[in-house]
Structure formats: C-alpha cells, structure tokens
Amino acid sequence: MIQKYKQNMDEFMIQVPTQIFFGKTALNDLAESIKQFGDRVILVYGGGSIKKIGLYDQVIKILDESGIFHCEIGGVQPNPRVSLIEEAIQIARENKVDVVLPVGGGSVIDTAKGIAGGYYYEGNFWDLAGKNITHDHVLPVITILTLPATGSEMATGCTLVNDHVTPHIKMGFHGPYIRPRVSFENPEYTYSLSKKQTASGVMDIMSHIFESYFSNEKRAYMQARTAEGMLRTLIKYTPIAFAEPDNYEARANIMYCSSWGNNGLIVKGNFVSWSVHGLENPINERYNTVHGDGLAVLTPAWMRWAKKPENLYRYADLAVNVFGLDKNLPEEELADLAIEKVQDFIQNVLGLPKNLRELGVQKEDIPKMAQVFSLPGKIEYQSEAFVPISVDGAIEIYNMAY
Ligand code: NZQ
Ligand code: ZN
C-alpha cells in the first residue's frame, strides 16, 4: 500500500504509464497494442462523428484483419450517462471482452473507463462514485482520441452523470489502472471539429493548466514554466486551427497539450484543488451545458475573485511570461492586465459565452449550486487551494459570472 503523499514539492508520487502513439501512422500499432491484453474488445463511440470521418471503418478493418473479436456500444452523449455504461457492461460481460476501446472525445473515453471500472464490480455501479480504485481488477482501456480537451486519454479519472436520479449528479472515480494503458493520437482525426468544438476543447485544456498554475506552491518552478509554455502554444495555434481546420501543425500542438495538461506532469508538486472545475460541475449537472462553456464563463470571474495582495505574483507571471507584457509594470497593474488578456482570449478569440445567463442559468439556482459545490467528494484539497472557496465565496463567484 503506497503511503499518502502531500501535494507539494516536499513529497509527491507520479507515475504516467500511458503509451502514446502520435501522428499519421499511429494506428499501425493498434492491433499489436490490443493483443498484449487479449483479442476481444468492446468498441465505444458517440453519436456518429467517427463514422462521418471514416475512422469507424478504419478501426473495424484493422480489428477484422487482425482476428480481434469486437462488440460495440455507440450513442454516448456529451456528459456521459451511467445508464448507457450499465448497458455496455452487460454487453462486455456477455462477450467476455479483454479490452475497452473508446474512439472519440472525453465523454466516450470516460464511458470506457466506467465500463473498465465496473466490469468486475458486482454491486451497484454508482457505489464507485468518488472512489479511488487502487486495485488492478479492471479492464485495460486503449483510446483513440478525436477531440483534444479533457486529457482523459492520459488521465486517471472519469466524470459520469448519474441519470437515475433527479436532478442528475455528476461525479466520477479514478485509479491508476483506469488510466488508459495506450492512447492513439492522430491530429488528422480532429480536422472535422467545428470552431465551437475546437474552442470548447481548448478552453478545457487551458483550465486544466490554470488549475495547476494558480497554486500556492511557489517552489514548483519547473511546473509553472511548463504550464506557461503550454498556454503560449494554445494561444499561438488555436487561431491557426480556426482559420485552417486541416493545419496539421496546429492540430498536433493542441492535441499534445490536451494530454500533457491533465496527466499529472504540472499537477504534481502543486496544491491543486480544481476550484474552477468544482464550480463548473453544478452548472453542468443542472443544465447539461458544455464543459468548456462553463469554464469560459467562470475562469475570468474566479481570477478576479481570487486575486489578493499576497498572490499577485502568479498573475504577474502570467502577464509577463504568457502575454509578453512589460515586467517593469507594477504587479497590481500586471495582474489586472493578465485577467483582461485571459478574458479577451476566451470571449473574442475563442468566441465562447460571456456569462451564466448565456448558459441559461437561473439566478435563483445560485445558492443551490454553491451548496452542491461544497458537497464531500465534489472538490479536492479545498483547504490547500490557491484561495479556499466557502459556500458564500462560491455564491460571490457565480454572481460575478452572472
Ligand atoms: O458523439 P460524437 O458524434 O462523436 O460527437 C462528439 C460530441 O458531440 C463531437 N466530436 C468528437 N470528436 C469529433 C467530434 N465532432 C467532429 N469531429 C470530431 N473529430 O464532439 C462532441 C463533444 O464530445 P465530448 O466527448 O462530450 O467532449 P469532450 O472531449 O469535451 O468531453 C467532455 C466530457 O469530459 C468530462 C467533461 O465533464 C464532459 O463530461 N471531463 C473529463 C475529464 C477526465 N476524464 O479527466 C476531465 C475534464 O475536466 C472533464 O470533466
Ligand atoms: Zn476539464
């Protein structure tokens, strides 16, 4: 049993074993990657985008030519539902599969992780919510990514919607063996993403980076400079991907940021409390909004709310090292300029929503969402957060974003 490590530079543990096959020829290694675990897979996909881009046929051909048995579950919705996972677990059990193979974005990959974690579990699937599954009695997951956003292709967790209850609850589980063993990343599969899908994905990647970057652990210098490099990469390449959806270089850089922004590299060694993600979750589960849209609205509001005399250094770092502003300006001014730059990028470059009203949020729901925010299991390490958020604090931030 591994000891519990603090989340700071004094002590942490990191293990990132996902094997990444990146680029145009990546799928050449698909069959062999599957066969190290067995020769029976359940293919998981969403509403049909992989059929439109020809990827479904390509994968089926590889499986058939390699003698790999396949059954499938399609129809995964964005903000994936537990009822579909339960159905998929039955199909997987009846067909005695060895591997779960999601082809799609975060919702498809998270559904696959749900199948993997629930396959051998005899009890009620939702018992797993909020758990850290440390044992390896789960199915291996091998992903083919088509939407750079969540980083789920290289991350330990999944986020799932319990649609058996009203209102729905969105929670997940995680574990070292839930993390995909292998992921295939061909940027060409992302050429078909619309501007809006690309933007929401980039917002999610940025938010994962910010959650680590806005940390009180000043000694995590390497993680902070790496985070800044990723942010600069996204700021440079996103407009190029908008103008030329089939620009390989732009799509490749965005895709690689997705995986490394949420796999532990910049998280470990920092106190990461996932504050903005914690605030987004109650909106998402109540209104079934797009994850990136909620983050777009909340990020500038949270940045303004969390700015304090003692933490201006991090905002100033952002202003200077990411947005290239003059380091000789007063820290307070740099901090305000950094927030303006972030807001400008989100609203005017990404073109994402500006306030909670645009997401359909009802003002009278704000206190209820703030209560949900503070429920056990919803947020982690809040006491160590950049700025800890109480229920009243959450209400203030939601009101600022309204
Ligand atoms: O369903 P299909 O037809 O495939 O269409 C999807 C879906 O409508 C479409 N799409 C995907 N790839 C495409 C494409 N359309 C055209 N061309 C392609 N190449 O995109 C739509 C959205 O897909 P979805 O998978 O829902 O998006 P995303 O990747 O942003 O995943 C969001 C989910 O992941 C969770 C979110 O909460 C949300 O439920 N997250 C998971 C995390 C994790 N596991 O680590 C962390 C994140 O913070 C996040 O919470
Ligand atoms: Zn996210």
Side-chain angles (χ1 to χ4, degrees):
M1 182 79 175
I2 292 170
Q3 63 161 311
K4 193 160 172 49
Y5 284 83
K6 284 184 201 155
Q7 291 284 320
N8 66 15
M9 285 301 274
D10 288 324
E11 51 176 60
F12 63 84
M13 190 278 282
I14 181 166
Q15 185 184 20
V16 189
T18 308
Q19 184 178 28
I20 299 289
F21 288 95
F22 195 93
K24 301 178 184 182
T25 59
L27 281 194
N28 292 351
D29 281 294
L30 177 62
E32 205 170 313
S33 299
I34 293 170
K35 283 187 174 174
Q36 62 185 318
F37 301 106
D39 59 3
R40 300 177 72 81
V41 305
I42 179 163
L43 181 67
V44 187
Y45 57 94
S49 69
I50 67 160
K51 292 191 171 165
K52 279 196 205 126
I53 64 175
L55 181 55
Y56 176 86
D57 289 343
Q58 210 183 332
V59 171
I60 295 292
K61 187 164 179 277
I62 292 170
L63 298 178
D64 286 342
E65 286 177 354
S66 316
I68 296 172
F69 166 85
H70 49 90
C71 54
E72 65 177 48
I73 182 97
V76 173
Q77 298 173 36
N79 303 324
R81 310 289 150 127
V82 157
S83 51
L84 191 86
I85 294 174
E86 289 162 340
E87 189 188 326
I89 289 172
Q90 288 314 320
I91 297 171
R93 285 179 182 159
E94 280 159 21
N95 290 284
K96 297 190 168 38
V97 305
D98 304 306
V99 173
V100 192
L101 179 64
V103 186
S107 297
V108 169
I109 297 174
D110 285 3
T111 296
K113 290 176 172 179
I115 300 167
Y119 185 79
Y120 294 111
Y121 185 69
E122 299 294 342
N124 183 331
F125 177 81
W126 198 245
D127 296 345
L128 300 173
K131 298 265 168 24
N132 181 11
I133 301 174
T134 52
H135 60 75
D136 62 358
H137 203 43
V138 301
L139 287 176
V141 176
I142 294 181
T143 84
I144 302 174
L145 180 67
T146 66
L147 202 181
T150 63
S152 189
E153 66 276 9
M154 218 175 169
T156 55
C158 58
T159 319
L160 309 169
V161 173
N162 186 347
D163 54 336
H164 296 308
V165 294
T166 309
H168 294 167
I169 301 174
K170 192 171 192 192
M171 272 173 80
F173 58 83
H174 59 284
Y177 298 96
I178 302 294
R179 193 198 289 266
R181 313 295 173 98
V182 186
S183 284
F184 292 86
E185 303 190 7
N186 180 347
E188 292 174 325
Y189 302 151
T190 69
Y191 292 173
S192 52
L193 289 168
S194 66
K195 182 180 177 208
K196 173 71 175 65
Q197 288 168 324
T198 304
S200 301
V202 166
M203 185 65 236
D204 195 17
I205 304 170
M206 286 191 121
S207 179
H208 298 150
I209 298 168
F210 282 145
E211 301 275 21
S212 300
Y213 187 66
F214 285 95
S215 157
N216 291 320
E217 178 50 286
K218 290 185 184 170
R219 296 171 299 171
Y221 183 90
M222 174 277 202
Q223 291 90 324
R225 302 294 82 79
T226 305
E228 287 160 357
M230 291 190 202
L231 291 168
R232 287 166 61 175
T233 302
L234 295 169
I235 290 166
K236 172 181 162 79
Y237 282 109
T238 305
I240 299 174
F242 286 164
E244 303 165 46
D246 57 356
N247 185 305
Y248 183 87
E249 181 179 327
R251 294 295 193 181
N253 276 282
I254 294 170
M255 199 169 214
Y256 209 43
C257 282
S258 160
S259 303
W260 289 86
N262 195 20
N263 70 357
L265 171 72
I266 57 172
V267 172
K268 298 296 175 180
N270 275 309
F271 295 117
V272 176
S273 57
W274 302 101
S275 294
V276 178
H277 273 66
L279 290 164
E280 190 273 339
N281 172 290
I283 301 172
N284 188 296
E285 74 184 6
R286 190 169 281 268
Y287 296 99
N288 195 24
T289 43
V290 173
H291 180 54
D293 286 355
L295 299 171
V297 170
L298 291 167
T299 297
W302 174 84
M303 286 178 77
R304 286 204 171 86
W305 180 87
K307 185 176 69 108
K308 309 272 178 237
E310 62 276 15
N311 65 26
L312 293 178
Y313 68 95
R314 187 37 42 98
Y315 293 83
D317 279 350
L318 180 64
V320 174
N321 298 336
V322 175
F323 292 108
L325 299 178
D326 180 358
K327 68 176 186 319
N328 298 314
L329 289 171
E331 233 181 16
E332 174 91 47
E333 193 179 334
L334 281 172
D336 290 336
L337 288 170
I339 298 170
E340 277 173 31
K341 287 279 185 189
V342 168
Q343 185 160 10
D344 177 65
F345 183 78
I346 293 171
Q347 296 180 356
N348 300 325
V349 179
L350 297 182
L352 291 174
K354 297 181 173 59
N355 54 52
L356 291 177
R357 280 167 287 135
E358 280 185 52
L359 300 185
V361 173
Q362 304 291 313
K363 188 122 188 165
E364 60 270 23
D365 283 345
I366 285 180
K368 292 178 223 157
M369 296 189 322
Q371 288 294 342
V372 172
F373 166 81
S374 65
L375 290 176
K378 283 280 190 184
I379 44 170
E380 296 177 74
Y381 310 117
Q382 196 51 219
S383 60
E384 307 285 7
F386 187 63
V387 181
I389 306 174
S390 63
V391 173
D392 287 344
I395 291 174
E396 279 169 28
I397 299 166
Y398 287 134
N399 278 325
M400 287 166 77
Y402 200 76

